[in-house]
Each structure stands twice: as structure tokens, then as C-alpha cells.
Amino acid sequence: MRPAADERSKGAEDMRSGVKVNVVKLGLVALGMLATVPAIQAQEASGDGAQKAVETRQAVFKVMNFNSEQFFLMMKNKTPFDAKVVQQAATRLEMLAPMIPDTFAPDTRKANVKTKARDGIWTNMADFKAKSDELARAAAALTAAAKTGEKGATLKAAGAVGKACSGCHDNYRDS
């Protein structure tokens, strides 16, 4: 029989190992999604190519929403605070945010595809990319805050992620 301290250490080690496996899996999914971007860019941004481009970027945003919703619910006191959940979600956002400009590389403005993307994305790509970079920085800060386990700092950093999301949505997304 192991002493209690060894059991806790083993449990923490198992948790870290599980998080690493999940991060690796997410990374592989992200790489797979990124691998589709050059193929989409090579296609004409109309018809099927435009549809695939929109579907790819919507998939990235769905994964991001799934993760951010976890800590936004904590901010609203709708779920209990859990720093480990926040840390995992923020790490995922850090990985996904840099993909945003890549998924918008194909200009789908003239294609007959349903999207909430505004024209300004393609007319001001530098600002759009800067906003994506800001989201990545805010997610990194949230990851760091969550690692401390301090609820106040973590939720404040989560607010900065929300602000980064809104900063882009306000300019580049129709409701």
C-alpha cells in the first residue's frame, strides 16, 4: 500500500499525462485542419472551394467556442470554477487562434456561400491578423493565470479573452 502523498503524486502525474495527451490530440486535429488550408487556397474561391473554406473556418470557430464556453460559464457563475478546465481550454485557444487568418486566406466575398464574415476581413487583413494575434496573447495570459489556480486573476484573464473575441467580432462578423 502506498502512502497518501505517493497516491496524490501519482494522481497529479496521471492528470498531467492526460492533459498532455489531449493537447497532442488537439494539435494533431489543428494540423489536419491547417493541412486543408493550402488545398482550399489552391482552389478557386467560388463554388465548392469557397464552401470548403467557409466550412473549415467555421469548424475552427466551433472548437474555439466549445472551449471558451467552459470558462465563460464560470465567469457568469453558471458552473463552478475549475482552474484545470480553464487552463486546458485556454491552451487550446492559444493553439487555434493563429489558424484564424489562415482559414480566411481564400477570399469568399464573391462566392454564393452563407457566412457571417464581413468584407473588411479581406480589405484589412493586417488588422484582422493583429486581432487574431491579440486573442492568442490573451489566451496565453489566461493559461498562465489558470496555472496559478487563483480564481480572481484567472477570471480577469478570461475577461480579456472575451474582449479580444469581441474586438474582432465587432469589426469583422455579422450577428
mmCIF file of all heavy atoms in Angstrom, residues 13-54:
data_model
loop_
_atom_site.group_PDB
_atom_site.id
_atom_site.type_symbol
_atom_site.label_atom_id
_atom_site.label_comp_id
_atom_site.label_asym_id
_atom_site.label_seq_id
_atom_site.Cartn_x
_atom_site.Cartn_y
_atom_site.Cartn_z
ATOM 1 N N GLU A 13 0.316 13.171 -11.524
ATOM 2 C CA GLU A 13 1.086 12.752 -12.698
ATOM 3 C C GLU A 13 0.155 12.215 -13.783
ATOM 4 O O GLU A 13 0.308 12.532 -14.963
ATOM 5 C CB GLU A 13 2.090 11.681 -12.291
ATOM 6 C CG GLU A 13 3.000 11.225 -13.414
ATOM 7 C CD GLU A 13 4.003 10.194 -12.932
ATOM 8 O OE1 GLU A 13 4.619 10.427 -11.871
ATOM 9 O OE2 GLU A 13 4.143 9.168 -13.598
ATOM 10 N N ASP A 14 -0.828 11.404 -13.387
ATOM 11 C CA ASP A 14 -1.795 10.877 -14.352
ATOM 12 C C ASP A 14 -2.578 12.002 -15.003
ATOM 13 O O ASP A 14 -2.841 11.976 -16.207
ATOM 14 C CB ASP A 14 -2.766 9.904 -13.669
ATOM 15 C CG ASP A 14 -2.097 8.590 -13.270
ATOM 16 O OD1 ASP A 14 -0.982 8.323 -13.759
ATOM 17 O OD2 ASP A 14 -2.703 7.850 -12.466
ATOM 18 N N MET A 15 -2.946 13.029 -14.220
ATOM 19 C CA MET A 15 -3.711 14.153 -14.765
ATOM 20 C C MET A 15 -2.873 14.914 -15.786
ATOM 21 O O MET A 15 -3.337 15.244 -16.860
ATOM 22 C CB MET A 15 -4.169 15.094 -13.651
ATOM 23 C CG MET A 15 -5.025 16.257 -14.170
ATOM 24 S SD MET A 15 -5.567 17.371 -12.891
ATOM 25 C CE MET A 15 -6.719 16.336 -12.039
ATOM 26 N N ARG A 16 -1.592 15.182 -15.428
ATOM 27 C CA ARG A 16 -0.710 15.889 -16.366
ATOM 28 C C ARG A 16 -0.528 15.087 -17.641
ATOM 29 O O ARG A 16 -0.538 15.617 -18.731
ATOM 30 C CB ARG A 16 0.642 16.181 -15.712
ATOM 31 C CG ARG A 16 0.622 17.343 -14.752
ATOM 32 C CD ARG A 16 2.026 17.742 -14.348
ATOM 33 N NE ARG A 16 2.729 16.683 -13.635
ATOM 34 C CZ ARG A 16 2.665 16.448 -12.341
ATOM 35 N NH1 ARG A 16 1.908 17.195 -11.586
ATOM 36 N NH2 ARG A 16 3.349 15.474 -11.791
ATOM 37 N N SER A 17 -0.375 13.796 -17.486
ATOM 38 C CA SER A 17 -0.217 12.929 -18.652
ATOM 39 C C SER A 17 -1.456 12.988 -19.536
ATOM 40 O O SER A 17 -1.357 13.071 -20.752
ATOM 41 C CB SER A 17 0.047 11.500 -18.201
ATOM 42 O OG SER A 17 0.145 10.651 -19.313
ATOM 43 N N GLY A 18 -2.642 12.963 -18.914
ATOM 44 C CA GLY A 18 -3.895 13.047 -19.669
ATOM 45 C C GLY A 18 -4.026 14.368 -20.397
ATOM 46 O O GLY A 18 -4.464 14.428 -21.545
ATOM 47 N N VAL A 19 -3.620 15.471 -19.738
ATOM 48 C CA VAL A 19 -3.683 16.795 -20.374
ATOM 49 C C VAL A 19 -2.732 16.828 -21.568
ATOM 50 O O VAL A 19 -3.089 17.315 -22.634
ATOM 51 C CB VAL A 19 -3.350 17.912 -19.360
ATOM 52 C CG1 VAL A 19 -3.134 19.237 -20.059
ATOM 53 C CG2 VAL A 19 -4.458 18.028 -18.315
ATOM 54 N N LYS A 20 -1.527 16.271 -21.382
ATOM 55 C CA LYS A 20 -0.559 16.249 -22.485
ATOM 56 C C LYS A 20 -1.111 15.472 -23.670
ATOM 57 O O LYS A 20 -0.985 15.900 -24.809
ATOM 58 C CB LYS A 20 0.767 15.648 -22.023
ATOM 59 C CG LYS A 20 1.570 16.549 -21.123
ATOM 60 C CD LYS A 20 2.844 15.874 -20.680
ATOM 61 C CE LYS A 20 3.584 16.728 -19.664
ATOM 62 N NZ LYS A 20 4.763 16.040 -19.139
ATOM 63 N N VAL A 21 -1.730 14.339 -23.408
ATOM 64 C CA VAL A 21 -2.299 13.533 -24.489
ATOM 65 C C VAL A 21 -3.387 14.324 -25.199
ATOM 66 O O VAL A 21 -3.439 14.359 -26.426
ATOM 67 C CB VAL A 21 -2.852 12.194 -23.947
ATOM 68 C CG1 VAL A 21 -3.705 11.493 -24.982
ATOM 69 C CG2 VAL A 21 -1.699 11.303 -23.498
ATOM 70 N N ASN A 22 -4.244 15.003 -24.430
ATOM 71 C CA ASN A 22 -5.312 15.798 -25.041
ATOM 72 C C ASN A 22 -4.751 16.946 -25.862
ATOM 73 O O ASN A 22 -5.263 17.249 -26.934
ATOM 74 C CB ASN A 22 -6.276 16.320 -23.983
ATOM 75 C CG ASN A 22 -7.170 15.229 -23.441
ATOM 76 O OD1 ASN A 22 -7.386 14.226 -24.104
ATOM 77 N ND2 ASN A 22 -7.672 15.409 -22.246
ATOM 78 N N VAL A 23 -3.709 17.592 -25.371
ATOM 79 C CA VAL A 23 -3.098 18.697 -26.115
ATOM 80 C C VAL A 23 -2.478 18.169 -27.405
ATOM 81 O O VAL A 23 -2.608 18.789 -28.457
ATOM 82 C CB VAL A 23 -2.064 19.445 -25.240
ATOM 83 C CG1 VAL A 23 -1.231 20.404 -26.066
ATOM 84 C CG2 VAL A 23 -2.764 20.188 -24.107
ATOM 85 N N VAL A 24 -1.833 17.014 -27.325
ATOM 86 C CA VAL A 24 -1.249 16.415 -28.535
ATOM 87 C C VAL A 24 -2.353 16.085 -29.526
ATOM 88 O O VAL A 24 -2.234 16.377 -30.719
ATOM 89 C CB VAL A 24 -0.420 15.157 -28.183
ATOM 90 C CG1 VAL A 24 -0.052 14.378 -29.422
ATOM 91 C CG2 VAL A 24 0.831 15.553 -27.417
ATOM 92 N N LYS A 25 -3.457 15.497 -29.057
ATOM 93 C CA LYS A 25 -4.571 15.178 -29.947
ATOM 94 C C LYS A 25 -5.123 16.435 -30.589
ATOM 95 O O LYS A 25 -5.389 16.466 -31.785
ATOM 96 C CB LYS A 25 -5.683 14.455 -29.190
ATOM 97 C CG LYS A 25 -5.362 13.031 -28.831
ATOM 98 C CD LYS A 25 -6.510 12.401 -28.061
ATOM 99 C CE LYS A 25 -6.201 11.001 -27.606
ATOM 100 N NZ LYS A 25 -7.296 10.447 -26.798
ATOM 101 N N LEU A 26 -5.307 17.490 -29.788
ATOM 102 C CA LEU A 26 -5.813 18.749 -30.325
ATOM 103 C C LEU A 26 -4.843 19.314 -31.354
ATOM 104 O O LEU A 26 -5.262 19.809 -32.399
ATOM 105 C CB LEU A 26 -6.056 19.764 -29.214
ATOM 106 C CG LEU A 26 -6.603 21.095 -29.668
ATOM 107 C CD1 LEU A 26 -7.993 20.935 -30.265
ATOM 108 C CD2 LEU A 26 -6.635 22.075 -28.523
ATOM 109 N N GLY A 27 -3.559 19.199 -31.064
ATOM 110 C CA GLY A 27 -2.554 19.678 -32.016
ATOM 111 C C GLY A 27 -2.634 18.943 -33.340
ATOM 112 O O GLY A 27 -2.519 19.542 -34.406
ATOM 113 N N LEU A 28 -2.852 17.640 -33.271
ATOM 114 C CA LEU A 28 -2.982 16.856 -34.496
ATOM 115 C C LEU A 28 -4.229 17.252 -35.271
ATOM 116 O O LEU A 28 -4.200 17.356 -36.501
ATOM 117 C CB LEU A 28 -3.000 15.363 -34.175
ATOM 118 C CG LEU A 28 -1.681 14.787 -33.659
ATOM 119 C CD1 LEU A 28 -1.862 13.341 -33.211
ATOM 120 C CD2 LEU A 28 -0.602 14.887 -34.720
ATOM 121 N N VAL A 29 -5.323 17.499 -34.563
ATOM 122 C CA VAL A 29 -6.545 17.959 -35.231
ATOM 123 C C VAL A 29 -6.291 19.313 -35.885
ATOM 124 O O VAL A 29 -6.664 19.546 -37.038
ATOM 125 C CB VAL A 29 -7.726 18.047 -34.238
ATOM 126 C CG1 VAL A 29 -8.909 18.771 -34.852
ATOM 127 C CG2 VAL A 29 -8.131 16.658 -33.796
ATOM 128 N N ALA A 30 -5.641 20.207 -35.142
ATOM 129 C CA ALA A 30 -5.347 21.532 -35.694
ATOM 130 C C ALA A 30 -4.457 21.426 -36.923
ATOM 131 O O ALA A 30 -4.680 22.116 -37.928
ATOM 132 C CB ALA A 30 -4.687 22.405 -34.622
ATOM 133 N N LEU A 31 -3.442 20.566 -36.858
ATOM 134 C CA LEU A 31 -2.574 20.390 -38.028
ATOM 135 C C LEU A 31 -3.358 19.840 -39.208
ATOM 136 O O LEU A 31 -3.145 20.250 -40.350
ATOM 137 C CB LEU A 31 -1.407 19.453 -37.685
ATOM 138 C CG LEU A 31 -0.291 20.067 -36.859
ATOM 139 C CD1 LEU A 31 0.716 18.988 -36.464
ATOM 140 C CD2 LEU A 31 0.394 21.183 -37.611
ATOM 141 N N GLY A 32 -4.248 18.917 -38.938
ATOM 142 C CA GLY A 32 -5.080 18.380 -40.007
ATOM 143 C C GLY A 32 -5.939 19.458 -40.639
ATOM 144 O O GLY A 32 -6.098 19.514 -41.856
ATOM 145 N N MET A 33 -6.476 20.329 -39.797
ATOM 146 C CA MET A 33 -7.292 21.422 -40.319
ATOM 147 C C MET A 33 -6.420 22.381 -41.135
ATOM 148 O O MET A 33 -6.834 22.854 -42.181
ATOM 149 C CB MET A 33 -7.992 22.155 -39.177
ATOM 150 C CG MET A 33 -9.051 21.298 -38.482
ATOM 151 S SD MET A 33 -9.653 22.056 -36.978
ATOM 152 C CE MET A 33 -10.988 23.031 -37.651
ATOM 153 N N LEU A 34 -5.220 22.660 -40.620
ATOM 154 C CA LEU A 34 -4.320 23.549 -41.354
ATOM 155 C C LEU A 34 -3.887 22.930 -42.673
ATOM 156 O O LEU A 34 -3.680 23.645 -43.649
ATOM 157 C CB LEU A 34 -3.080 23.866 -40.513
ATOM 158 C CG LEU A 34 -3.172 25.081 -39.628
ATOM 159 C CD1 LEU A 34 -1.889 25.258 -38.836
ATOM 160 C CD2 LEU A 34 -3.486 26.336 -40.395
ATOM 161 N N ALA A 35 -3.761 21.636 -42.707
ATOM 162 C CA ALA A 35 -3.340 20.973 -43.936
ATOM 163 C C ALA A 35 -4.353 21.196 -45.056
ATOM 164 O O ALA A 35 -3.997 21.163 -46.229
ATOM 165 C CB ALA A 35 -3.144 19.481 -43.695
ATOM 166 N N THR A 36 -5.606 21.453 -44.688
ATOM 167 C CA THR A 36 -6.618 21.695 -45.708
ATOM 168 C C THR A 36 -6.532 23.102 -46.281
ATOM 169 O O THR A 36 -7.025 23.344 -47.374
ATOM 170 C CB THR A 36 -8.040 21.477 -45.151
ATOM 171 O OG1 THR A 36 -8.301 22.438 -44.133
ATOM 172 C CG2 THR A 36 -8.227 20.072 -44.640
ATOM 173 N N VAL A 37 -5.917 24.018 -45.547
ATOM 174 C CA VAL A 37 -5.876 25.414 -45.997
ATOM 175 C C VAL A 37 -5.175 25.574 -47.342
ATOM 176 O O VAL A 37 -5.721 26.210 -48.244
ATOM 177 C CB VAL A 37 -5.259 26.330 -44.914
ATOM 178 C CG1 VAL A 37 -5.035 27.736 -45.433
ATOM 179 C CG2 VAL A 37 -6.163 26.358 -43.683
ATOM 180 N N PRO A 38 -3.962 25.007 -47.569
ATOM 181 C CA PRO A 38 -3.341 25.167 -48.885
ATOM 182 C C PRO A 38 -4.195 24.591 -50.011
ATOM 183 O O PRO A 38 -4.270 25.169 -51.095
ATOM 184 C CB PRO A 38 -2.018 24.406 -48.762
ATOM 185 C CG PRO A 38 -1.714 24.396 -47.307
ATOM 186 C CD PRO A 38 -3.057 24.332 -46.631
ATOM 187 N N ALA A 39 -4.859 23.478 -49.742
ATOM 188 C CA ALA A 39 -5.718 22.887 -50.771
ATOM 189 C C ALA A 39 -6.880 23.816 -51.093
ATOM 190 O O ALA A 39 -7.252 23.990 -52.253
ATOM 191 C CB ALA A 39 -6.238 21.530 -50.304
ATOM 192 N N ILE A 40 -7.421 24.428 -50.065
ATOM 193 C CA ILE A 40 -8.525 25.362 -50.267
ATOM 194 C C ILE A 40 -8.028 26.593 -51.022
ATOM 195 O O ILE A 40 -8.673 27.081 -51.932
ATOM 196 C CB ILE A 40 -9.154 25.761 -48.918
ATOM 197 C CG1 ILE A 40 -9.889 24.561 -48.318
ATOM 198 C CG2 ILE A 40 -10.110 26.932 -49.078
ATOM 199 C CD1 ILE A 40 -10.296 24.748 -46.882
ATOM 200 N N GLN A 41 -6.835 27.076 -50.635
ATOM 201 C CA GLN A 41 -6.294 28.263 -51.300
ATOM 202 C C GLN A 41 -6.018 27.980 -52.770
ATOM 203 O O GLN A 41 -6.132 28.877 -53.598
ATOM 204 C CB GLN A 41 -5.007 28.715 -50.611
ATOM 205 C CG GLN A 41 -5.264 29.303 -49.234
ATOM 206 C CD GLN A 41 -3.973 29.557 -48.484
ATOM 207 O OE1 GLN A 41 -2.942 28.967 -48.760
ATOM 208 N NE2 GLN A 41 -4.049 30.449 -47.518
ATOM 209 N N ALA A 42 -5.641 26.764 -53.077
ATOM 210 C CA ALA A 42 -5.321 26.424 -54.462
ATOM 211 C C ALA A 42 -6.568 26.378 -55.327
ATOM 212 O O ALA A 42 -6.493 26.556 -56.531
ATOM 213 C CB ALA A 42 -4.596 25.081 -54.515
ATOM 214 N N GLN A 43 -7.715 26.163 -54.696
ATOM 215 C CA GLN A 43 -8.957 26.120 -55.450
ATOM 216 C C GLN A 43 -9.465 27.544 -55.672
ATOM 217 O O GLN A 43 -9.173 28.447 -54.916
ATOM 218 C CB GLN A 43 -10.016 25.341 -54.678
ATOM 219 C CG GLN A 43 -9.660 23.905 -54.463
ATOM 220 C CD GLN A 43 -10.686 23.222 -53.568
ATOM 221 O OE1 GLN A 43 -11.613 23.836 -53.092
ATOM 222 N NE2 GLN A 43 -10.484 21.940 -53.344
ATOM 223 N N GLU A 44 -10.218 27.703 -56.703
ATOM 224 C CA GLU A 44 -10.854 28.985 -56.950
ATOM 225 C C GLU A 44 -11.812 29.258 -55.799
ATOM 226 O O GLU A 44 -12.508 28.375 -55.332
ATOM 227 C CB GLU A 44 -11.623 28.910 -58.272
ATOM 228 C CG GLU A 44 -12.180 30.232 -58.718
ATOM 229 C CD GLU A 44 -12.864 30.081 -60.051
ATOM 230 O OE1 GLU A 44 -12.381 29.320 -60.898
ATOM 231 O OE2 GLU A 44 -13.892 30.744 -60.228
ATOM 232 N N ALA A 45 -11.848 30.489 -55.300
ATOM 233 C CA ALA A 45 -12.693 30.830 -54.156
ATOM 234 C C ALA A 45 -14.137 31.038 -54.590
ATOM 235 O O ALA A 45 -14.751 32.060 -54.351
ATOM 236 C CB ALA A 45 -12.152 32.067 -53.448
ATOM 237 N N SER A 46 -14.652 30.056 -55.269
ATOM 238 C CA SER A 46 -16.060 30.070 -55.642
ATOM 239 C C SER A 46 -16.549 28.631 -55.620
ATOM 240 O O SER A 46 -15.757 27.700 -55.583
ATOM 241 C CB SER A 46 -16.248 30.677 -57.033
ATOM 242 O OG SER A 46 -15.580 29.900 -57.998
ATOM 243 N N GLY A 47 -17.828 28.469 -55.613
ATOM 244 C CA GLY A 47 -18.401 27.128 -55.638
ATOM 245 C C GLY A 47 -17.937 26.269 -54.489
ATOM 246 O O GLY A 47 -17.939 26.679 -53.342
ATOM 247 N N ASP A 48 -17.514 25.047 -54.832
ATOM 248 C CA ASP A 48 -17.112 24.061 -53.829
ATOM 249 C C ASP A 48 -15.903 24.536 -53.015
ATOM 250 O O ASP A 48 -15.843 24.317 -51.808
ATOM 251 C CB ASP A 48 -16.802 22.730 -54.512
ATOM 252 C CG ASP A 48 -16.654 21.595 -53.515
ATOM 253 O OD1 ASP A 48 -17.500 21.517 -52.585
ATOM 254 O OD2 ASP A 48 -15.708 20.807 -53.649
ATOM 255 N N GLY A 49 -14.948 25.198 -53.633
ATOM 256 C CA GLY A 49 -13.764 25.695 -52.925
ATOM 257 C C GLY A 49 -14.132 26.712 -51.865
ATOM 258 O O GLY A 49 -13.615 26.681 -50.747
ATOM 259 N N ALA A 50 -15.034 27.610 -52.197
ATOM 260 C CA ALA A 50 -15.477 28.616 -51.231
ATOM 261 C C ALA A 50 -16.240 27.961 -50.092
ATOM 262 O O ALA A 50 -16.060 28.314 -48.921
ATOM 263 C CB ALA A 50 -16.344 29.666 -51.917
ATOM 264 N N GLN A 51 -17.073 26.987 -50.426
ATOM 265 C CA GLN A 51 -17.835 26.285 -49.394
ATOM 266 C C GLN A 51 -16.901 25.571 -48.421
ATOM 267 O O GLN A 51 -17.084 25.629 -47.216
ATOM 268 C CB GLN A 51 -18.805 25.285 -50.039
ATOM 269 C CG GLN A 51 -19.683 24.566 -49.030
ATOM 270 C CD GLN A 51 -20.631 25.493 -48.296
ATOM 271 O OE1 GLN A 51 -21.205 26.401 -48.876
ATOM 272 N NE2 GLN A 51 -20.787 25.261 -47.006
ATOM 273 N N LYS A 52 -15.868 24.934 -48.949
ATOM 274 C CA LYS A 52 -14.903 24.241 -48.095
ATOM 275 C C LYS A 52 -14.140 25.229 -47.218
ATOM 276 O O LYS A 52 -13.858 24.949 -46.050
ATOM 277 C CB LYS A 52 -13.934 23.412 -48.938
ATOM 278 C CG LYS A 52 -14.568 22.161 -49.497
ATOM 279 C CD LYS A 52 -13.586 21.354 -50.318
ATOM 280 C CE LYS A 52 -14.279 20.132 -50.899
ATOM 281 N NZ LYS A 52 -13.375 19.341 -51.729
ATOM 282 N N ALA A 53 -13.789 26.380 -47.783
ATOM 283 C CA ALA A 53 -13.084 27.399 -46.993
ATOM 284 C C ALA A 53 -13.947 27.862 -45.828
ATOM 285 O O ALA A 53 -13.477 27.976 -44.687
ATOM 286 C CB ALA A 53 -12.709 28.583 -47.886
ATOM 287 N N VAL A 54 -15.213 28.126 -46.093
ATOM 288 C CA VAL A 54 -16.127 28.583 -45.044
ATOM 289 C C VAL A 54 -16.320 27.479 -44.002
ATOM 290 O O VAL A 54 -16.289 27.740 -42.796
ATOM 291 C CB VAL A 54 -17.472 29.031 -45.653
ATOM 292 C CG1 VAL A 54 -18.516 29.282 -44.567
ATOM 293 C CG2 VAL A 54 -17.270 30.295 -46.494
#
